[in-house]
Amino acid sequence: MKKLVLIGGGYGNMRVLHRLLPNQLPDDVSITLIDRNPYHCLKTEYYALAAGTISDHHIRVSFPEHPRLDVQYGNITSIDIVQKQVLFQDREPISYDDAVIGLGCEDKYHNVPGAPEFTYSIQTIDQSRETYQKLNNLSANATVAIVGAGLSGVELASELRESRDDLNIILFDRGNLILSSFPERLSKYVQKWFEEHGVRIINRANITKVEEGVVYNHDDPISADAIVWTAGIQPNKVVRDLDVEKDAQGRIVLTPHHNLPGDEHLYVVGDCASLPHAPSAQLAEAQAEQIVQILQKRWNGEALPESMPQFKLKGVLGSLGKKAGFGLVADRPLIGRVPRMLKSGLLWMYKHHNG
């Protein structure tokens, strides 16, 4: 019996599971899924958990059940690609014949002194729970600094404003205008939303140091009762420690068939893979679709295509609280209630299709 090991239960490996189970898994293949948690977590919604507008159970989805699916738990310390083993801190190794690495990402602190020690995070469900405790235990009129005004920072700031209208919220943005990679009309809409809702945006920010209760912007100190870091990501440390070729962002360079060069049994999906698009749940799922196709061809002894089709991504949707949002769908900017409703609908379908 061949063993396919899925390392991490994120969006990519969940899509692998749902494409192979219940009827597309060959009779001579079993699957082992490894994760720290006994459920799949909706990482795109961690901002709402941290802000206190949804509860924990809203962002948990059960793993599928199948006679040839074995779910194992543990803290992974490394992957031995020579011996084809996953190594753990607290249990015996797990061997694989084929494996898909989907361990996701961590915060990237850009060598800013004090940032790892004195800021909160929303990168994992455990960190989001800690951030929730900190933010929602703050006294009235406390100040929250959010460093980084990408999608995560924007959604956290807006959701926190609806959750705690008594807080002073500061959002640090490196650009001249928030969400500067989006069309200007969309960026101006988001910037105006924050101005109307009393969120202070500091544009052209450059955080040079963080101390307990203090953010230094261009070396000027700004006091805050809580500091949340949403200013960049990097691959999981297990992936960073692998002695394989990586791109400038530390993501693993792959063949067109999504496996390591020279190792057709080890694949990488999602945030840890070097791909021609910014990391996202949507991209991880699109890549997982192709990995399943490749696995099935290799298991059946069929020839592989020289290249795989380009990913067809539908766009980006973001929320501004529960009633407004923004998005870029088919290169068309969307603002207001419609993109927020679209995002809510997609989330509902994802949970009920996968759950």
Side-chain angles (χ1 to χ4, degrees):
M1 181 77 72
K2 296 191 189 80
K3 183 190 284 188
L4 170 64
V5 174
L6 305 180
I7 307 171
Y11 289 97
N13 277 334
M14 277 291 279
R15 180 58 61 92
V16 172
L17 284 174
H18 283 284
R19 286 295 173 263
L20 289 174
L21 302 176
N23 300 317
Q24 300 301 314
L25 186 66
D27 292 338
D28 62 343
V29 178
S30 66
I31 302 177
T32 299
L33 171 68
I34 304 169
D35 201 87
R36 287 179 298 190
N37 300 306
Y39 39 75
H40 167 60
C41 301
L42 303 179
K43 186 173 183 177
T44 59
E45 305 306 302
Y46 284 173
Y47 72 92
L49 173 62
T53 57
I54 62 172
S55 63
D56 198 286
H57 82 273
H58 279 102
I59 57 172
R60 301 198 305 254
V61 175
S62 299
F63 293 129
E65 295 182 359
H66 189 273
R68 281 183 285 135
L69 171 62
D70 179 28
V71 182
Q72 296 288 324
Y73 309 108
N75 291 311
I76 298 170
T77 56
S78 62
I79 301 169
D80 187 335
I81 62 177
V82 176
Q83 298 298 323
K84 299 175 76 170
Q85 287 186 327
V86 183
L87 307 179
F88 297 87
Q89 175 184 340
D90 46 6
R91 54 165 296 163
E92 292 298 308
I94 292 177
S95 300
Y96 64 84
D97 295 298
D98 296 291
V100 184
I101 300 173
L103 287 172
C105 59
E106 301 172 355
D107 288 301
K108 186 172 184 176
Y109 295 103
H110 309 285
N111 298 315
V112 175
E117 295 84 4
F118 300 116
T119 65
Y120 287 83
S121 172
I122 56 171
Q123 281 300 324
T124 70
I125 192 167
D126 289 341
Q127 290 171 325
S128 300
R129 288 166 177 151
E130 291 176 11
T131 303
Y132 161 77
Q133 291 287 344
K134 178 64 178 180
L135 296 181
N136 288 278
N137 284 334
L138 291 172
S139 59
N141 301 315
T143 297
V144 176
I146 300 172
V147 179
L151 189 60
S152 295
V154 165
E155 291 191 309
L156 175 63
S158 59
E159 201 80 7
L160 186 60
R161 165 50 71 231
E162 290 201 349
S163 174
R164 294 284 308 268
D165 60 6
D166 59 291
L167 295 175
N168 301 305
I169 302 172
I170 306 172
L171 183 58
F172 292 90
D173 175 31
R174 295 197 67 165
N176 295 322
L177 186 67
I178 202 165
L179 296 175
S180 55
S181 63
F182 286 81
E184 186 176 353
R185 172 171 169 260
L186 189 152
S187 297
K188 287 183 175 179
Y189 171 79
V190 175
Q191 186 115 358
K192 183 180 178 183
W193 190 96
F194 281 125
E195 291 169 357
E196 291 175 347
H197 289 80
V199 174
R200 179 186 174 195
I201 298 176
I202 298 181
N203 297 112
R204 296 179 291 278
N206 181 29
I207 304 305
T208 52
K209 183 171 64 172
V210 181
E211 295 176 348
E212 188 168 4
V214 184
V215 178
Y216 289 81
N217 179 38
H218 295 282
D219 295 326
D220 293 330
I222 298 175
S223 297
D225 298 283
I227 306 164
V228 186
W229 191 270
T230 60
I233 58 173
Q234 61 183 340
N236 183 284
K237 185 178 185 302
V238 171
V239 169
R240 299 203 306 272
D241 290 344
L242 283 177
D243 185 17
V244 297
E245 184 182 359
K246 303 186 182 82
D247 64 15
Q249 287 74 42
R251 302 183 179 105
I252 296 177
V253 174
L254 303 172
T255 71
H257 302 121
H258 308 296
N259 57 273
L260 267 65
D263 187 348
E264 65 179 37
H265 299 287
L266 188 58
Y267 302 79
V268 184
V269 69
D271 299 345
C272 300
S274 180
L275 299 171
H277 302 280
S280 68
Q282 183 184 176
L283 179 61
E285 291 177 333
Q287 188 195 6
E289 297 274 1
Q290 295 190 0
I291 289 175
V292 169
Q293 295 172 24
I294 295 299
L295 282 168
Q296 290 174 324
K297 286 185 178 295
R298 283 182 164 145
W299 288 334
N300 293 329
E302 299 175 11
L304 302 182
E306 289 187 10
S307 62
M308 301 299 289
Q310 291 187 345
F311 299 119
K312 295 181 180 179
L313 304 181
K314 297 178 177 65
V316 179
L317 293 170
S319 66
L320 293 170
K322 292 289 187 277
K323 296 181 180 179
F326 57 93
L328 194 61
V329 179
D331 294 327
R332 177 186 175 189
L334 301 176
I335 58 175
R337 182 176 287 269
V338 169
R340 186 64 182 93
M341 292 173 63
L342 285 173
K343 184 181 178 187
S344 297
L346 288 172
L347 178 64
W348 186 91
M349 286 193 296
Y350 182 90
K351 286 180 65 176
H352 288 82
H353 173 72
N354 287 283

